[in-house]
Amino acid sequence: MRRTVFNEDHEAFRDTIRAFIEAEVVPVYDEWFAAGQAPRDFYYKLAELGVFGIRVPEEFGGAGIDSYKFEAVMYEETSRAGVQFGGSGVHVLLGLPYIKMLATDEQKKRFLPKFVSGEEMWALAMTEPGTGSDLAGMKTTAKLSEDGTHYVLNGAKTFITGGVHADKVIVCARTDAPTAEDRRHGISLFAVDTKSEGYSIGRKLDKLGLKTSDTAELAFVDVKVPVEDLLGEENKGFYYLGHNLASERWGIAFGAYAQAKAAVRFAKEYVQERTVFGKPVASFQNTKFELAACQAEVDAAEAVADRALEALDAGELTPAEAASAKLFCTEVAHRVIDRCLQLHGGYGFMNEYPIARLYADNRVNRIYGGTSEIMKTIIAKDMGL
């Protein structure tokens, strides 16, 4: 089955990324894993490679390519190598869409050149303790000062990927109370400077997987946010969040598919090398059947992920389609990675083997960006149920 989603430019980029990973990431990845984060200066290397500027307009220092396909290549190549690029993924996949969609020309001139250069890393702060997927239930507030020059931000966020190294954080906060008719009313988005007085980073969270990404708790105590740093219009934040969730969920779906594909590769290599009872593990019928079944599931997930990618690039990916892709690809990855780990036997439980890290990394895919249960709710509603 011939794949048509990528062209020669994407494959040339793949070669570049693969060489970069082998030279700059693989030799030090164990150190990052032990430290629980990638070093801040690694993001400058990604910036020099041009990774952050692919979808940024040329006038602000980017390449001006309005496509997610290069990011798709990076998902495949990091998974293939069994590594992660720290918390930098949120910088591009989550941060950039909000800047491009909501920032004024003046804001883009301030934000985007430093975004491209890696001088300012961005994160997105939506989730709060006790709210989870219920974004409309957020309690963080931003009240306009009496002189109208700034907002005063108070509250807390949790599970913020990229939160330790971030220089700018898009914070979702209430600027008005919800109404009886619409509890989603009153949420606004702000570009908050992490050096602001009253802004603090709490715990760097100790996660089951994604060990090299810095995930943190954030707190805001009377943080002054200039009115010039409001993104979009007041009280329309929930609409903006819903609009951009499609691209976020595509990213999770595609990343999950790429992890499943990598898992089959790791298992195939392992069973061909490993010998039991005097025979390669790959020679047993059960091994062949298990890997064949896994490959069939990966093929299906690839088709779904690619279709969603094409729709996203065309500006046609609907919330329900994104939810369907995320649900399918993450559930496939869960099954495939578990079966591939089983084929490793006891060694699959050891972190020195990439399948073990992949198993842990994959688990969050069915939680963040909206749980599988939320995805089913969205799909069912689209079905008229």
Side-chain angles (χ1 to χ4, degrees), residues 98 102 124-126 128 135 138 140-144 151 153 157 169-177 184-192 225 227 229-241:
Y98 289 99
L102 303 177
L124 177 63
M126 292 190 290
E128 297 186 0
L135 298 178
M138 68 177 63
T140 297
T141 61
K143 296 182 178 180
L144 189 63
Y151 292 85
L153 182 67
K157 301 289 181 178
V169 177
I170 299 172
V171 178
C172 312
R174 284 207 164 274
T175 45
D176 197 6
R184 298 172 298 182
H185 169 77
I187 295 172
S188 301
L189 307 184
F190 300 89
V192 179
V225 183
V227 293
D229 288 342
L230 171 70
L231 287 173
E233 297 182 39
E234 254 194 16
N235 302 324
K236 291 189 176 181
F238 199 93
Y239 164 76
Y240 301 142
L241 294 172

Side-chain angles (χ1 to χ4, degrees), residues 158-178:
T158 192
F159 306 145
I160 310 306
T161 302
V164 174
H165 286 319
D167 303 287
K168 295 279 190 183
V169 177
I170 299 172
V171 178
C172 312
R174 284 207 164 274
T175 45
D176 197 6

Side-chain angles (χ1 to χ4, degrees), residues 12-215:
F13 180 72
R14 183 187 304 280
D15 292 340
T16 299
I17 288 295
R18 187 173 296 183
F20 175 82
I21 289 172
E22 288 300 317
E24 300 289 347
V25 182
V26 172
V28 294
Y29 196 70
D30 286 346
E31 297 173 20
W32 297 3
F33 190 86
Q37 62 185 35
R40 177 63 175 83
D41 62 4
F42 172 68
Y43 299 146
Y44 288 110
K45 294 181 180 179
L46 286 175
E48 290 173 6
L49 198 63
V51 165
F52 296 154
I54 293 171
R55 290 190 289 111
V56 173
E58 292 182 49
E59 62 197 282
F60 302 113
I65 301 173
D66 193 18
S67 171
Y68 285 81
K69 292 184 178 180
F70 292 93
E71 286 166 57
V73 169
M74 285 190 284
Y75 279 124
E76 290 186 336
E77 289 306 308
T78 51
S79 295
R80 178 185 181 277
V83 301
Q84 299 280 336
F85 280 171
S88 65
V90 299
H91 179 68
V92 176
L93 185 65
L94 302 189
L96 185 57
Y98 289 99
I99 301 173
K100 291 178 69 175
M101 179 175 72
L102 303 177
T104 64
D105 289 341
E106 183 276 330
Q107 287 175 324
K108 288 177 180 176
K109 289 177 183 177
R110 281 195 288 130
F111 298 153
L112 287 176
K114 292 181 180 179
F115 180 100
V116 173
S117 69
E119 184 177 344
E120 288 185 348
M121 296 298 295
W122 288 65
L124 177 63
M126 292 190 290
T127 307
E128 297 186 0
T131 62
S133 296
D134 181 20
L135 298 178
M138 68 177 63
K139 305 297 184 184
T140 297
T141 61
K143 296 182 178 180
L144 189 63
S145 62
E146 292 184 3
D147 62 7
T149 61
H150 61 273
Y151 292 85
V152 180
L153 182 67
N154 283 282
K157 301 289 181 178
T158 192
F159 306 145
I160 310 306
T161 302
V164 174
H165 286 319
D167 303 287
K168 295 279 190 183
V169 177
I170 299 172
V171 178
C172 312
R174 284 207 164 274
T175 45
D176 197 6
T179 65
E181 297 77 21
D182 187 5
R183 61 192 293 267
R184 298 172 298 182
H185 169 77
I187 295 172
S188 301
L189 307 184
F190 300 89
V192 179
D193 191 322
T194 62
K195 295 186 292 296
S196 301
E197 184 177 354
Y199 180 104
S200 62
I201 300 170
R203 293 183 301 153
K204 181 169 76 67
L205 300 173
D206 183 15
K207 307 183 298 298
L208 171 67
L210 300 179
K211 288 289 190 178
T212 64
S213 69
D214 51 305
T215 303

